[in-house]
Each structure stands twice: as structure tokens, then as C-alpha cells.
Amino acid sequence: MYAKMRAEHGPIIPAELAPGVRGWLVTDYATLISWSRDTTTFSHDARLWRDFNEGRVDPDSPLLPMMAPRANALFVDGVEHQRLRRAITDALGAVTAGHLAAITTRYADRLIDEFCERGQADLLNEYARMIPLLVMNDLFGMDEDQGVRFVTAMRNLWAGVDAERSNAEAERALSEVVDAKHRDPGDDLTSRLIRHRAGLSDEEVIMQLLLIIAAANEPTAALIDSALRAVLADPALRTAGGASVAVLDDLMGRVLWRDPPITNYPVIYPRVDVPLEDGRVIEAGSPILLGFAAANHFFQRENAERMEDSANRAHVAWGAGPHRCPARDEATAIATIATRRILERLPEPTLAIPPEGLRWQLATLFWAPVTLPVRFVPRPPATPASAPGPVPAAFDTAPDPRTPAASGLSSLSNFLVRLLRRS
């Protein structure tokens, strides 16, 4: 479809983003990088969006939660962007690699325990979409009620379901988390943002939390899904022997080139009219979607011989310029661990339907399968179902494999499993 659009319009494509909402899509690799770095001509500040300012965007548009102006690091530039981004990177930087690996492994194993005896599972909705939600709820320090409400709202936001109400509910849940952490701070992302030297207001803390979770949940789930689909398509990877660090590192690199987790987002706005080589003009204030998937695809196709000679990591899956994703290493680590645990624990999983039988959810900003059904040889759970004990709050280092793990999902985890199975 991208190729057909490029054949008609060239690499910069006029598009209808939603009914009556016009914009552009950049599918050229060099142009996407150049415009992302050109902070003089282009801005991420949605207050420049002309149609929105002049009332031509429906208040109920599903685009608004992802495109309307917000006081977070993705939607501002310059000094203000640097201040907010520093708070985010410092808060994330306090999460050690060992801590992240431990909680991701713990949740992955316990989710696998939920379905490993069945011999079949939906690895998208029962696994890939669950892991980042559980990890982020753990890192944010949410209680059960806050976590469930927030997770539900964020799933609906990405799906464009009742967007205005979902956005309000997500912000309300985060507001309650911030209030709670003022009263009882802890070693979590929320508390670290509150006390950061940047002096964020409570509203700014809520907006940064919303950005982190929005950027972490569905995109990380999509990356896990893409990696698992790549594994299912390659017999050499569908064994525990395919779970080595080197093999999975190479796999993630290929997936980020060929099947990036975000396809057409974020959005930039020209401060002035931008003339194109064919005589067309992108007017100031017009939204321009950054087409990561298309840019990667056409760059690979145009440079196939050169890219076969080396493991090129110059993809734009995480963006480019000053707004490049600050959590790309964390997202990749979560996806790598999630993929490895499937390979280590489920012998040679196979897709339960032909690849062409997968149904897809297509949206303006991303695409994803509706389900990812697999079959495998049934295995007993790794942890006894009757063992007591809640999920530990945190690990500073990777757990000792000789130490028996506490088993059973926390009450929040169990509720999220049931919730997402029904959704």
C-alpha cells in the first residue's frame, strides 16, 4: 500500500488521518531524519496544529488523545523539552538493568504458567500485551484499583475507543497515584518524578507518566509480538537453542528494521510553509506523520546489497533527532526477555493458523494482529500453583536461579490477566 501511494504521490504523501482531518505522511528515510533534526523549521508542539486551533477537528476525534497539545516531553521543544526529557531519563535511569530483567522475567514466567499446560495460547493478548502493563504498573508503584483503571483506559486510547472518556480516566488514575506518592513516597518512577530537581508541577508529573506509559505499553507489546512472529516463521529459532543472547540481539535488530512497533507516529508541524520538489506545498501548521515502517522498508529495499554485508542498526524504529525515544533500551530489553522465556519454556511453538489467516487491526498510527494463536507441547508450570506469597516489590539485581521464586500472580496481575482476556 505504501508503494502504491508513493507511486502516485512520491515519498511525501497527502493523507486523510481521520474523517475530515488532513495531513501528510513522510515515507522517505533521509527526509524523515532530516526533518526530525530540523528544529528550526519543524516542531513537535501540537499548539501549531492549524486545523485544531481553528476548530476543524471534531472534539470526539480518536486522534486527539495522541495528537492534541500536552505538557509532556514529546509535545514541546527547546529548553522546555530538555527539562522534561531530563526528568524522564533520570527517573528511568534509576531502574537498573538487573531490576528490569528480574521483574520482566518474573512476570513472563508467571504469565506462561497460566497457559503452559494447555498446549495452546494467544501470545498477543495473554502474553505480549500483558508483560509491559505489569512491568510498568510495578515501576510506577500503582495499587490494584489505579492499575486496573489506568490499563483499561490506555488500551481504549490506543484502540480509539471512547477516546475522550478514556483519556480523562487515565489522567484521573494518574492524579490519584501522584497524590498517594506525595503522602507516601517510595522507590518508584512516580516518586522520582515528583522529587526531581526539574521541579515538575503535579500536572507535569501526570503528563510525563502518561507519556511514559503510552510509549511503553502498546509499542513494547507490538515489539514482542513482532519478535514472536519472526520466531514462529523461522524453524531455526523455535527451540531453546535459538534463545542465545547473540541470536536474540540479531533478531531484535531485524525486527526493528522490518516490523517496527510504531508505524506512523509521532507528528511534527512545520512553522512555515514547506515547498516540495514537485511544486506542492505543506502549509504551516499541517500535521506530518513520521512513517517509520515505510521509511525503514524503502531504505532497506534501495540499499539491499550494502545492508547484507553488516548488521546495520541505523533504523528509525525509535525515531530520530532530539525526540528519539528515551526508553528504547528498556523496551528492547523487555521484548528480548519476553521472547527468550517463550523459547526456553515452550518447546518449539508453532502458529496455530496459516500466517495469511492472521487478522489485523489497522489504525492511522499503528497496526497489529488481533490475536497470535500458537500451539506447543504442554508443560507443567515452573512455580507450584499452591505456593503462597505476593509478588516481590523489586529486585536490584537479577535473582539467583538457585533461589525458589515466589509464585502466583499478585492480585493486580491476576485481575489484569482476566481483564485483558475479556477485551
Side-chain angles (χ1 to χ4, degrees):
M1 181 57 68
Y2 284 132
K4 291 179 180 178
M5 291 190 292
R6 281 167 60 104
E8 182 176 355
H9 301 285
I12 315 298
I13 301 165
E16 186 176 40
L17 311 185
V21 182
R22 299 287 178 176
W24 299 78
L25 173 67
V26 180
T27 66
D28 178 70
Y29 178 90
T31 302
L32 188 151
I33 292 178
S34 175
W35 287 7
S36 295
R37 293 174 175 171
D38 183 357
T39 57
T40 300
T41 305
F42 300 95
S43 171
H44 280 71
D45 191 341
R47 289 174 295 185
L48 295 174
W49 187 5
R50 179 178 294 175
D51 286 346
F52 175 78
N53 291 332
E54 296 177 358
R56 288 190 290 273
V57 180
D58 192 316
D60 296 327
S61 172
L63 295 174
L64 289 183
M66 304 298 289
M67 290 178 58
R70 289 184 183 274
N72 68 37
L74 183 60
F75 286 79
V76 295
D77 298 293
V79 174
E80 190 65 3
H81 166 72
Q82 294 172 11
R83 181 178 77 92
L84 297 176
R85 185 182 175 95
R86 174 55 58 188
I88 291 173
T89 55
D90 287 349
L92 288 171
V95 180
T96 67
H99 179 114
L100 186 64
I103 61 176
T104 303
T105 301
R106 184 190 322 132
Y107 285 129
D109 280 340
R110 295 178 187 182
L111 289 169
I112 293 171
D113 284 347
E114 292 284 315
F115 54 72
C116 61
E117 293 179 292
R118 300 202 313 252
Q120 59 183 5
D122 174 3
L123 289 187
L124 176 59
N125 295 297
E126 292 185 89
Y127 187 70
R129 279 187 169 144
M130 286 296 307
I131 289 177
L133 295 173
L134 294 170
V135 170
M136 294 310 298
N137 274 279
D138 190 305
L139 295 179
F140 276 28
M142 289 184 176
D143 67 25
E144 178 173 335
D145 177 68
Q146 294 159 350
V148 168
R149 288 162 47 214
F150 186 73
V151 163
T152 305
M154 290 308 301
R155 286 289 307 277
N156 288 338
L157 271 180
W158 273 99
V161 176
D162 202 355
E164 185 175 3
R165 179 179 177 182
S166 298
N167 180 68
E169 180 61 20
E171 292 186 13
R172 185 159 44 249
L174 288 180
S175 178
E176 293 174 10
V177 176
V178 171
D179 287 343
K181 295 304 176 181
H182 273 299
R183 296 190 302 270
D184 185 20
D187 184 20
D188 51 66
L189 279 168
T190 306
S191 298
R192 287 194 285 272
L193 285 174
I194 290 172
R195 61 176 179 256
H196 193 271
R197 64 182 182 275
L200 274 61
S201 66
D202 281 0
E203 180 184 1
E204 288 177 327
V205 170
I206 292 169
M207 289 298 104
Q208 306 329 299
L209 291 173
L210 193 62
L211 172 61
I212 294 169
I213 201 79
N217 279 2
E218 283 296 321
T220 304
L223 181 56
I224 297 170
D225 168 75
S226 295
L228 290 173
R229 283 189 286 110
V231 165
L232 294 168
D234 187 347
L237 292 171
R238 291 202 304 269
T239 65
S244 71
V245 173
V247 168
L248 289 181
D249 184 58
D250 178 67
L251 172 68
M252 286 298 164
R254 287 189 282 117
V255 165
L256 288 167
W257 265 112
R258 299 175 184 176
D259 197 5
I262 301 176
T263 51
N264 302 316
Y265 191 76
V267 184
I268 57 175
Y269 303 86
R271 303 178 193 272
V272 296
D273 290 354
V274 176
L276 302 179
E277 292 181 356
D278 59 7
R280 295 176 299 167
V281 175
I282 300 179
E283 296 182 347
S286 299
I288 303 172
L289 303 187
L290 301 179
F292 296 150
N296 277 351
H297 170 77
F298 291 110
F299 182 86
Q300 276 195 307
R301 194 168 73 177
E302 294 160 3
N303 297 274
E305 292 185 8
R306 179 156 58 96
M307 293 188 66
E308 285 180 359
D309 297 333
S310 63
N312 190 312
R313 297 300 174 88
H315 58 75
V316 291
W318 302 119
H323 284 82
R324 191 181 186 208
C325 177
R328 55 191 179 273
D329 292 338
E330 289 82 358
T332 304
I334 293 171
T336 301
I337 293 167
T339 304
R340 184 177 69 238
R341 294 309 293 152
I342 288 291
L343 291 172
E344 290 173 343
R345 292 199 50 197
L346 302 182
E348 301 190 25
T350 59
L351 197 59
I353 60 175
E356 59 272 18
L358 289 173
R359 293 185 299 121
W360 292 80
Q361 178 185 0
L362 303 177
T364 301
L365 306 180
F366 76 106
W367 65 62
V370 176
T371 62
L372 185 61
V374 299
R375 295 191 183 97
F376 47 85
V377 177
R379 284 286 182 91
T383 53
S386 59
V391 176
F395 283 103
D396 291 328
T397 58
D400 188 331
R402 297 168 297 181
T403 303
S407 65
L409 290 166
S410 68
S411 57
L412 171 59
S413 305
N414 273 318
F415 192 98
L416 291 177
V417 171
R418 295 193 301 271
L419 172 71
L420 294 183
R421 281 178 180 168
R422 292 195 300 267
S423 63

